Amino acid sequence: MSNQRTVVIFGASGDLSSRLLLPGLGSLLAGPRATSVRIIGTGRSPLAAEEWTSRVRSAFGEELSPAAAETLASTQYVAGDPTDITHLRALLALAGPAPVLYFSLPPAVASAIVERLQSVNLPEGTELAFEKPFGTDAASAAALNKLVGTLVPEENVHRVDHFLGRTAVLNLIGLRFANRLFEPVWNAENIESIEIVYDETLGLEGRAQYYDNAGALVDMIQSHLLLVLALLAMDAPATMDAVEVRSEMARALRSTHLYGPPSTASRRARYTAGGGVPSYADEAGVNPARETETLAELTVEVDTNRWAGVPITLRSGKALGVGRKEIVIKFKPLRHLPSGLHGGRDGETLRIGLKPGELSLSVPALGVDGPYTMGQVFLDATLPSSPVLPYGEVLNGILRGDPLLSVRGDVAERCWEIVEPALDTWRTGEVPLDEYEAGSNGPTHW
């Protein structure tokens, strides 16, 4: 294979690398778009060569494609302090031309490494990839953007959101802009409300070190669901070029703000014990005094001619009774029903599953409960899926130098700016921290 790229993974010995990053790369190497990749893992923890190779082998799955076998044969792990300039220079010498530096690390550690890289000559064509969240607030995201901008141009910076690699999310573009049924009615004239929901049945699962400092709002809504909103709300790009698509997403988010005062536009809650799951406050590594929420809800508005007045609710939580991962677009009810027809005048409801990708459209129909009685019938479809995992799709863009699925710098800052008014009211206690039993559907009064 030609044009081999070397990926240097900082934090390679961590959970995220083994659980998501390496399996995503393995799925890419197993598919028709496989490219030649060499992996250099690095971290503070010492790992024997065979232990690192075993981790990569396990992440790639049982059957190795030729591309995966080539990657496995050439991979190596170099232990060291990522903020040590000598270590960084040794890594870059080992990586060779145009490496991808992938920061599988928390924002503070990634920022510290970026600062040290100011003293190192990066090879031409170096790409930098950062995990979410990018920064810890709008100010730190802006400072990190400024720092990164001194190293490489913006098109060589990839702020990773694996959500944008989900086939179901990518299908939104086709649904929006290549569909005569929906595009003409995709506006406030016809749509009453939108929900973007990502509820999980899993609890903390040992992630207290990260999650207790983030919470549901930062972990999911700020980092992921606002970008799904951008795809739903943006106007049509002139082309599918990364510059055009990301510019339209940015325009939509610049017009997005809370739907009313922060104290009424947001809700938060934390799970208590239930269904064999311990209370969040009793989970190992959790500091109950932080009042970290495990369920968050935020209602926003995109204040443009297309969307003004439509409430868009973003919700995500853990340890819930139903794993609900979907977009729900509720159309406005009919203004008038001909005399003689009975039943509700409910509008259509379009449900787009995020995992798995499913499409369900409920439409009014006669004869459901009688010959002249209106009811709802459902048109269901399964959206095309991809054998490449979401992380694989994002990595494909990074390796090929295409930032389409990467978050642009100004968008990373804007997502923080949208949620910060809500976070501020939470810190002052204006919005109470409600409780819900693990395994339930959330607080009973929501």
Side-chain angles (χ1 to χ4, degrees), residues 18 20 22 58 103 126 140 157 211 221 253 295 393 399 426:
S18 299
L20 293 171
L22 290 173
S58 176
F103 298 91
T126 296
S140 65
V157 182
Y211 194 88
I221 294 176
L253 289 171
L295 172 62
E393 294 287 1
L399 291 167
W426 292 7

Side-chain angles (χ1 to χ4, degrees), residues 257-282:
H257 55 73
L258 296 185
Y259 190 79
S263 57
T264 60
S266 66
R267 298 194 288 195
R268 60 177 179 147
R270 182 167 70 182
Y271 66 80
T272 57
V277 177
S279 168
Y280 177 82
D282 295 331

Side-chain angles (χ1 to χ4, degrees), residues 4-6 8 38 40 89-101 121-126:
Q4 184 183 66
R5 299 296 302 272
T6 296
V8 179
R38 183 165 67 112
I40 299 173
R89 285 180 177 145
L91 285 173
L92 289 168
L94 197 60
V100 175
L101 305 186
N121 290 323
L122 291 181
E124 188 176 347
T126 296

Side-chain angles (χ1 to χ4, degrees), residues 415-440:
C415 287
W416 279 114
E417 291 168 355
I418 292 168
V419 304
E420 279 183 346
L423 288 171
D424 289 342
T425 60
W426 292 7
R427 292 186 189 105
T428 59
E430 291 178 62
V431 175
L433 180 66
D434 295 325
E435 292 187 337
Y436 63 99
E437 184 180 328
S440 70

Side-chain angles (χ1 to χ4, degrees), residues 298-337:
L298 198 69
T299 302
V300 299
E301 175 185 14
V302 181
D303 193 12
T304 62
N305 186 53
R306 180 189 284 267
W307 291 113
V310 177
I312 303 172
T313 299
L314 314 173
R315 169 185 157 127
S316 183
K318 287 188 174 297
L320 291 156
V322 177
R324 185 178 165 221
K325 302 172 177 67
E326 63 180 359
I327 300 164
V328 182
I329 292 115
K330 187 172 177 54
F331 289 86
K332 289 182 176 178
L334 289 169
R335 291 194 186 97
H336 172 71
L337 206 61

